Amino acid sequence: MSSYRLSKRQRLLWLWGGISLAAALILGAAVFLGGPRQAGSGADAAGGSEITSVLRREAGAEQARFRFRDVREQAGIDFRHFPATRRSLLPEDMGPGLAWGDYDNDGDPDLFLVNFSGSILDADPVGGRHALYRNEGGGRFLDVTEQAGLAEPSYGQGAAWGDYDNDGDLDIYLTNYGPNRLYRNEGDGRFTDVTVPAGVGDPGFSSAAAWGDYDNDGHIDLYVSNYVLFEHRETDQARVSRQHGSEIPYTINPSSYSPAPNRLYRNNSDGSFTDVAEEAGVADAQGRSLGNLWLDFDNDGLLDLYVANDVSANGVYRNRGDGSFTDIGASSLAADYRGAMGLAAGDYDRDGDMDLFVTHWLAQENGLFENMVSEGLKDGQGNRRLFFMDNAEMTGLGQISLKTVAWATGFADLDNDGLLDLWVVNGNTLEMASDTTRLKPQPLYLFQQEPEQGFFEVGHQASPALERRFVGRGGAHADYDADGRMDIAVAVHGGQPLLLHNTSSGNGHWLGIRLRQQGGNTRAIGARVSVRSGGRVQTAQVGGGGSYISQHSDDLHFGLGDEAGAVEITIHWPDGSIETHSDIQPDRLLELSHNAMYKSKEGASP
């Protein structure tokens, strides 16, 4: 394929021409075969052998350049999600998530696993608790949940680490069905529940949370996605809905419930927050929100916002720089009305701007939204025209996803060849016919990117552990053992997580970059980093959310392929400063610090 060589304008013309041709062919085939199919039915929707099978691509066993091994047991992680009998209620089915974060500042990412304490119908839930596993080094983890003060059970969904008080250590926000919680890191291994004084305990049904300094004042803010206004009524248990051509319980269909508005908690810099979502224009009250991502779409130094919505149009919001956002959903071409869950951000085509991958529900295809931001085209306000092109079919990520319900995801260079690969966690929301207390398992996908060809799924070739199907939900990547290879943790509904250790051999060189700031936003969330090596430039952004109710490590990782020479690094810090470092040697984790100069809301330094 030629999408890596053509200009963006040429690719857009080719895409729309191809869409028109494909639509005509499909319509003609439908008429020839005796009429259109019901949406989501038949072999085609299941990834079968009819019209869309021409888009299928196969990978040989020799093609997989990376290998993974599930080392959960050897690592000392003993955790099981939801120790109760599933009762076909929507809040039970949406988690769990997990989050990587170096809470003790020893240089190794630690792992927080979210749990759902038990059935919401029981007066006394079984007591499944969350778990904080401290990275001990050497591939081992230690359960320190009790000592840390994080053992209090809740109906947990997701988690996000962030240093909201700028004291240099990571605090953690936990989303729940029921009141959310904020735990402040005391710096001695213990956490304190500060939800009430902070004012961030939304009592509804929250999903994802993401930290990001949208107003560039050095105090990170918090966006929380709320799902639906779920209400349990005994009479609803006997009702049914239709979904994907099948009858399902009314109580697991999100369309049965009204959407809930989201929260944008502005950091007041005194330990408290104010919800400004409505006045900022990002409440997204009509969206059943499951994911969110802070991302500088147009490289103007301001964090924009993308919100993934289920059976609702996604939210695409451009930061105006005055504390408010413009809804550009329609003009961006990235506000699809599908069942969206997970998000990944990465410059997969290495053109200097960040692209988006969005996971979707069954028979809807995942979306790869290539960033088409233009220097030459302007919108009505004089800004660069910002829009996206769904390139999933052209790159091999569309047809294969017709048969899955996809959740957590992430771009990561898994073989260090200088091209971003992609992983996708799958798990059905439809119940087993033989046992309705269980959900249907599905495979996890590992996509290897090939130059000028796109992505090939190589999961079962890359790991025997991935031959097993499970009900996946959350997931996030990190190089937890500092060996220069990206590992993946996967959260499993009703089961134990996977810790996929990257055991690849003979791969390329690499460079890890860890950014720290003094003066505010201590983890440099939103910083944009470019690495130049051998004539190639790769770009990445620090933090900002993504995946699905989960969080990746905030260290950046760049594969360098065969380039063993020195590289050049350019950092666009969140305060607007630009810094360049030359003659950087590869195959190591490099930590860089910056003395940030922020203006407070009153115009003075914080």
Side-chain angles (χ1 to χ4, degrees):
M1 80 179 212
S2 58
S3 64
Y4 291 82
R5 295 178 177 175
L6 297 177
S7 70
K8 286 186 173 181
R9 182 175 180 276
Q10 289 171 320
R11 273 177 277 164
L12 189 62
L13 292 172
W14 274 105
L15 175 75
W16 290 113
I19 288 174
S20 299
L21 178 60
L25 290 173
I26 291 173
L27 179 60
V31 172
F32 179 76
L33 292 172
R37 295 182 175 274
Q38 178 183 347
S41 68
D44 194 43
S49 58
E50 297 184 20
I51 296 173
T52 63
S53 63
V54 69
L55 300 169
R56 187 184 307 150
R57 49 174 65 187
E58 303 290 342
E62 71 285 351
Q63 188 167 345
R65 291 190 298 274
F66 39 77
R67 296 288 185 273
F68 286 89
R69 187 163 56 93
D70 183 10
V71 297
R72 178 192 58 80
E73 289 188 33
Q74 301 92 308
I77 295 176
D78 185 13
F79 173 91
R80 183 171 293 277
H81 171 256
F82 191 40
T85 300
R86 180 181 169 277
R87 299 189 184 180
S88 300
L89 299 171
L90 192 60
E92 297 174 344
D93 290 355
M94 304 310 293
L98 53 80
W100 290 104
D102 183 12
Y103 83 95
D104 54 0
N105 285 331
D106 66 351
D108 299 318
D110 310 295
L111 183 61
F112 186 82
L113 298 167
V114 180
N115 213 334
F116 200 88
S117 59
S119 173
I120 64 175
L121 302 185
D122 292 340
D124 297 310
V126 175
R129 66 172 175 84
H130 316 295
L132 175 61
Y133 281 93
R134 186 178 67 207
N135 191 335
E136 300 286 278
R140 296 285 299 176
F141 290 80
L142 180 66
D143 187 343
V144 296
T145 315
E146 297 285 348
Q147 307 93 293
L150 296 173
E152 185 178 3
S154 67
Y155 299 121
Q157 300 293 332
W161 296 100
D163 183 11
Y164 82 93
D165 53 0
N166 284 334
D167 65 352
D169 48 42
L170 289 175
D171 315 294
I172 191 164
Y173 189 76
L174 178 64
T175 62
N176 294 305
Y177 170 66
N180 299 334
R181 294 174 183 168
L182 175 62
Y183 295 95
R184 184 182 65 212
N185 191 334
E186 301 297 345
D188 58 0
R190 295 179 300 111
F191 290 79
T192 300
D193 187 341
V194 295
T195 309
V196 173
V200 292
D202 188 293
F205 182 179
S206 297
S207 50
W211 297 96
D213 186 10
Y214 80 94
D215 52 2
N216 280 346
D217 66 350
H219 302 280
I220 60 173
D221 313 292
L222 180 65
Y223 191 82
V224 179
S225 290
N226 286 324
Y227 193 28
V228 296
L229 299 174
F230 181 84
E231 179 183 359
H232 176 257
R233 297 178 292 264
E234 290 289 343
T235 54
D236 289 345
Q237 291 289 108
R239 300 176 65 183
V240 296
S241 299
R242 291 196 66 82
Q243 196 174 33
H244 195 60
S246 303
E247 287 190 347
I248 65 168
Y250 178 90
T251 51
I252 64 172
N253 188 345
S255 297
S256 301
Y257 306 98
S258 300
N262 299 335
R263 309 290 186 188
L264 173 55
Y265 291 112
R266 185 186 63 207
N267 192 328
N268 297 325
S269 75
D270 60 358
S272 70
F273 294 78
T274 300
D275 179 16
V276 296
E278 188 171 350
E279 63 188 78
V282 294
D284 202 4
Q286 300 306 310
R288 295 172 178 85
S289 300
L290 287 175
N292 57 61
L293 178 67
W294 292 108
L295 190 66
D296 186 356
F297 295 138
D298 49 4
N299 292 341
D300 65 351
L302 299 170
L303 287 180
D304 309 299
L305 180 66
Y306 191 92
V307 182
N309 291 326
D310 194 8
V311 290
S312 318
N314 292 346
V316 190
Y317 301 101
R318 191 173 197 170
N319 195 331
R320 299 176 60 183
D322 60 0
S324 68
F325 294 77
T326 301
D327 183 347
I328 62 168
S331 63
S332 73
L333 307 181
D336 285 9
Y337 191 106
R338 288 188 256 183
M341 278 83 82
L343 298 169
D347 184 15
Y348 88 94
D349 53 0
R350 298 188 302 196
D351 66 350
D353 49 44
M354 304 300 287
D355 310 298
L356 279 170
F357 181 76
V358 185
T359 64
H360 292 123
W361 199 72
L362 200 68
Q364 297 180 358
E365 290 200 351
N366 297 332
L368 177 60
F369 291 103
E370 184 178 338
N371 193 332
M372 307 296 291
V373 65
S374 171
E375 292 286 353
L377 298 176
K378 303 290 184 180
D379 63 16
Q381 286 74 46
N383 301 310
R384 288 190 296 167
R385 174 75 196 284
L386 175 60
F387 64 104
F388 296 82
M389 180 176 71
D390 189 350
N391 214 12
E393 290 288 17
M394 296 172 65
T395 54
L397 297 172
Q399 189 267 350
I400 191 174
S401 63
L402 284 168
K403 56 188 175 181
T404 57
V405 179
W407 303 85
T409 183
F411 281 113
D413 189 349
L414 301 177
D415 53 3
N416 288 336
D417 67 345
L419 292 171
L420 288 178
D421 306 298
L422 181 73
W423 55 267
V424 181
V425 175
N426 299 307
N428 222 320
T429 57
L430 300 180
E431 298 173 334
M432 300 281 287
S434 58
D435 181 359
T436 57
T437 67
R438 299 172 57 206
L439 297 169
K440 295 179 180 179
Q442 294 185 327
L444 183 145
Y445 286 157
L446 295 178
F447 291 98
Q448 182 172 285
Q449 187 179 172
E450 296 287 352
E452 301 186 18
Q453 297 181 63
F455 294 87
F456 290 79
E457 205 288 307
V458 296
H460 69 279
Q461 295 99 323
S463 175
L466 300 186
E467 294 178 3
R468 177 176 67 89
R469 297 186 173 207
F470 50 87
V471 182
R473 288 296 185 264
H477 54 246
D479 181 9
Y480 74 84
D481 56 351
D483 65 354
R485 294 172 294 197
M486 297 302 291
D487 312 298
I488 307 169
V490 180
V492 176
H493 181 279
Q496 295 207 329
L498 281 72
L499 182 60
L500 297 176
H501 180 223
N502 192 330
T503 60
S504 308
S505 61
N507 292 152
H509 298 279
W510 61 280
L511 180 66
I513 297 178
R514 175 177 296 160
L515 299 185
R516 295 291 183 266
Q517 287 191 148
Q518 293 80 43
N521 188 4
T522 63
R523 300 292 170 128
I525 297 174
R528 188 171 83 254
V529 178
S530 295
V531 170
R532 182 180 296 274
S533 173
R536 299 182 304 188
V537 179
Q538 300 179 60
T539 304
Q541 178 189 289
V542 177
S547 190
Y548 171 72
I549 58 174
S550 300
Q551 187 178 48
H552 309 298
S553 167
D554 57 16
D555 293 339
L556 300 180
H557 176 89
F558 297 88
L560 304 176
D562 296 331
E563 299 295 333
V567 303
E568 179 183 272
I569 301 170
T570 300
I571 306 169
H572 292 256
W573 293 95
D575 69 348
S577 303
I578 302 175
E579 193 175 289
T580 300
H581 298 265
S582 302
D583 298 323
I584 302 297
Q585 298 303 311
D587 300 318
R588 61 176 176 139
L589 175 62
L590 177 68
E591 182 169 328
L592 297 170
S593 297
H594 174 63
N595 186 18
M597 299 298 292
Y598 286 107
K599 295 293 184 180
S600 70
K601 295 180 179 65
E602 290 74 32
S605 298

